[in-house]
Amino acid sequence: MRVYGVTGWKNAGKTGLVERLVTEITGRGFSVSTVKHAHHSVDVDQPGTDSFRHRAAGASEVLLASAQRIAVMQELRGAAEPSLTALLARLSPVDLVLIEGFKREAHPKVEAFRAEAGNALIAPDNDTIRAVASDTPLQIDHPVFDLNDTGAIADFILSEVGL
């Protein structure tokens, strides 16, 4: 599977960019999955549901299945967070996996950058960042795209991964 990342600091526009890229790239006929890293405790389940009660009772994994979707919830219960490689191995094959976050991993990335967020660019010190998608012009040694030019960013990523 081909993988490409979107990284950046908080409030840089990562999620919006990934969302637009998924729409753009799937609209071109490619299959896309995403992996999103969260730095905080996250729970996709709701207290009181049967699946929540299964996990609360001590289940290591709960697979919730319906005619519309399947969700697998795995409780780490003190175990180490799985590596990106291990997470990718769990996905069904697709043309492209877009990864949001995981800025320290080795896959190629586009950095989302918003000047108003007040953070420094990551790109100058991270050789896995191949381009920057910015809301302001930048003078750096990387291709720079308008953060809202989803088509151009998609073209760049698809070219990078050979699609």
Side-chain angles (χ1 to χ4, degrees):
M1 270 188 303
R2 294 167 173 95
V3 299
Y4 214 91
V6 174
T7 196
W9 299 113
K10 184 177 180 179
N11 298 319
K14 298 179 303 292
T15 301
L17 178 55
V18 169
E19 180 182 13
R20 292 189 313 273
L21 286 168
V22 169
T23 299
E24 176 73 21
I25 295 170
T26 59
R28 296 182 188 192
F30 296 105
S31 58
V32 177
S33 289
T34 64
V35 174
K36 161 75 173 135
H37 189 259
H39 290 284
H40 48 83
S41 178
V42 65
D43 197 343
V44 297
D45 210 356
Q46 299 298 316
T49 62
D50 293 348
S51 53
F52 188 95
R53 292 171 59 192
H54 294 179
R55 287 186 309 125
S60 295
E61 282 191 331
V62 175
L63 191 147
L64 180 61
S66 74
Q68 290 78 35
R69 71 191 47 89
I70 298 169
V72 177
M73 292 167 280
Q74 182 180 27
E75 293 296 315
L76 296 178
R77 304 203 188 278
E81 181 178 352
S83 68
L84 179 57
T85 301
L87 295 171
L88 290 170
R90 295 182 71 139
L91 294 177
S92 299
V94 291
D95 296 317
L96 177 65
V97 178
L98 290 174
I99 300 169
E100 182 179 338
F102 291 95
K103 66 178 69 75
R104 291 174 184 83
E105 295 290 332
H107 61 280
K109 304 167 192 73
V110 169
E111 178 179 355
F113 178 80
R114 280 198 180 126
E116 70 183 30
N119 296 307
L121 277 169
I122 301 168
D125 298 318
N126 184 325
D127 63 2
T128 66
I129 296 175
R130 306 276 207 267
V132 177
S134 175
D135 66 348
T136 187
L138 299 171
Q139 297 298 317
I140 61 170
D141 189 23
H142 289 72
V144 177
F145 297 95
D146 183 302
L147 183 59
N148 295 310
D149 191 350
T150 308
I153 299 166
D155 288 344
F156 179 80
I157 290 171
L158 294 173
S159 175
E160 285 267 294
V161 299
L163 290 175

